[in-house]
Every structure is written in C-alpha cells, then in structure tokens.
C-alpha cells in the first residue's frame, strides 16, 4: 500500500463584513490545500468547510489556522475541534498564538495552555461585541444611527414637493425632513401629487 504523503492544510473563516482572507493566508503561509469558510457565526453544524477539513486530514497532517478565534467561537468548541483533529492523528497549529496541538502533545501543560488561550480568545470576542453594542447605543442616542432608512409620510412628501417647486434645493429639503437625498428622490419620483396627476393628460385619460 502506498504510504500517506503528509500534507499541510489551511482553515480560514471570513464573513461578509470581515474580508481578511488575504491577511489570514499570508499569516498561515504556503499550504497544500485551503478550506475557506464564509460564515460570520452560526452553529457548528453550519460550518461545512470545517467539516470537510476534518474529514480530509490524515495521520501526520497539519491544519494551520491564523488564530484560535478563526477556528472556534467558544472554549468548548475549540477543545472539541482540536480533539477531533488530534483523534485522526493530525495536529492543529495556531499561528498567532504560536501553539501546536495534536495526539502527541496532550500533556498537562499543553492542555492548560489550550484552555487559557482559548478562554482569552473567547473573552476578547465578548469585549469586541460589547464595544460594538456600546458604539451603536452612542450613535442611536446622538440621533445618527441609520438602521433602516426612514420613510416620508404623505404629508411630508406634499411639503417636499411644495418646497422644491419654490426653488428650495432638494439637499436642503431632505435635511429639513430628516432623511437622506436618496429617500427624498424616491418619494418625489414614486408618488406624484394629486395636482400633477390631474395636470397630466396621459394619467387623467381613461384606458
């Protein structure tokens, strides 16, 4: 039987708002194969690329990951994934933490380091989420949080048409009504005023 040729593979995870794939691959370095996950969160069952990576590796292979938080979302998840890879005789190498874990490295100190570093990574993610939530609260309190675009009421659309008809710039009208210019333009184009409808013979004529 032909002996297995050991390989080094990369596991990278990016989301639609976190496009750092190039930075991860640059940190990981040359590998034989890349497993890319495009997922910002979700459960373990949603991570199809991770499942393929674990199925792919064989005894002696190395799975390189840019950092622990790219591989797992919690300490328990981290331990489970490392145990699965190690159970196949492969090792997991974390570039940022400069740590490698596998079947031959399950000593007490190695397990302690894995738990400590995983806990720090989980704590760091919690702090980031808290800072993001706090930032959103601050912006909301200052009245600058966009979220879903504000819509104009029929009365506001009528007021906007009257102001524009008198020569007031649309930018000024939008600012006065508390919406962006795109919202104002859509409102002006999408709902003609009753006066305009009567004045337009094409719209007034019966079909």
């Amino acid at each position: 039987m032909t002996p297995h040729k050991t390989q080094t593979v990369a596991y990278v995870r990016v989301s639609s708002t976190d496009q750092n794939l190039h930075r991860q691959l640059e940190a990981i370095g040359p590998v034989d194969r890349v497993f890319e996950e495009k997922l910002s969160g979700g459960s373990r069952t949603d991570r199809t690329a991770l499942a393929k990576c674990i199925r792919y590796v064989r005894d002696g292979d190395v799975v390189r990951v840019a950092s622990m938080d790219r591989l797992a979302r919690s300490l328990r998840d981290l331990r489970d994934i490392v145990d699965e890879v190690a159970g196949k005789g492969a090792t997991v190498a974390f570039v940022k933490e400069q740590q490698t874990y596998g079947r031959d490295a399950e000593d007490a100190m190695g397990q302690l380091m894995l738990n400590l570093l995983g806990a720090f990574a989980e704590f760091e993610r919690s702090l980031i989420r808290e800072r993001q939530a706090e930032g959103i609260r601050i912006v909301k309190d200052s009245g600058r949080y966009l979220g879903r675009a504000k819509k104009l009421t029929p009365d506001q659309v009528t007021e906007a048409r009257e102001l524009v008809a008198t020569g007031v710039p649309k930018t000024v009208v939008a600012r006065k009504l508390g919406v962006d210019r795109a919202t104002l333009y859509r409102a002006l184009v999408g709902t003609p005023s009753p006066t305009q409808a009567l004045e337009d013979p094409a719209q007034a004529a019966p079909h």
Side-chain angles (χ1 to χ4, degrees):
M1 187 174 73
T2 304
H4 169 66
K5 180 181 178 298
T6 59
Q7 293 188 356
T8 299
V9 302
Y11 174 79
V12 295
R13 181 173 58 82
V14 296
S15 68
S16 58
T17 58
D18 178 27
Q19 302 299 338
N20 62 357
L21 173 61
H22 177 72
R23 291 197 300 272
Q24 290 185 56
L25 291 176
E26 190 176 56
I28 290 171
V31 294
D32 298 298
R33 182 167 176 174
V34 175
F35 292 87
E36 179 185 347
E37 197 92 69
K38 292 184 178 179
L39 187 70
S40 58
S43 65
R44 169 79 183 276
T45 56
D46 297 327
R47 300 172 65 180
T48 57
L50 176 62
K52 290 178 181 178
C53 178
I54 296 176
R55 286 198 302 267
Y56 180 81
V57 295
R58 299 290 185 271
D59 186 52
D61 289 348
V62 178
V63 179
R64 288 179 62 82
V65 189
S67 61
M68 286 183 173
D69 64 347
R70 294 293 91 186
L71 182 65
R73 305 295 292 173
S74 68
L75 177 58
R76 180 174 181 177
D77 196 24
L78 176 67
R79 289 188 55 86
D80 288 344
I81 295 171
V82 170
D83 287 345
E84 284 186 48
V85 175
K88 301 195 69 175
T91 59
V92 182
F94 298 104
V95 177
K96 178 182 176 182
E97 292 81 6
Q98 298 183 2
Q99 295 290 318
T100 300
Y101 299 94
R103 188 170 55 191
D104 298 330
E106 295 188 359
D107 57 285
M109 182 58 70
Q111 290 301 309
L112 175 62
M113 288 299 297
L114 178 64
N115 289 336
L116 287 176
L117 292 173
F120 278 125
E122 186 174 358
F123 177 64
E124 185 178 20
R125 284 194 299 272
S126 298
L127 289 180
I128 291 173
R129 287 194 295 268
E130 288 179 7
R131 287 196 295 266
Q132 290 173 337
E134 180 64 22
I136 291 174
R137 281 196 298 270
I138 292 173
V139 173
K140 278 184 175 179
D141 292 342
S142 66
R144 293 184 290 109
Y145 183 67
L146 297 178
R148 180 172 295 182
K150 177 183 176 183
K151 293 183 179 180
L152 294 174
T153 65
D155 289 341
Q156 288 177 316
V157 174
T158 300
E159 180 185 358
R161 292 187 182 283
E162 293 174 351
L163 291 171
V164 171
T166 61
V168 179
K170 291 185 176 67
T171 302
V172 176
V173 176
R175 188 182 306 120
K176 178 179 184 300
L177 297 176
V179 297
D180 56 37
R181 287 179 296 177
T183 300
L184 176 64
Y185 293 158
R186 285 194 299 269
L188 294 176
V189 173
T191 54
S193 66
T195 303
Q196 286 178 315
L198 292 175
E199 290 177 350
D200 188 345
Q203 294 186 26
H207 290 273

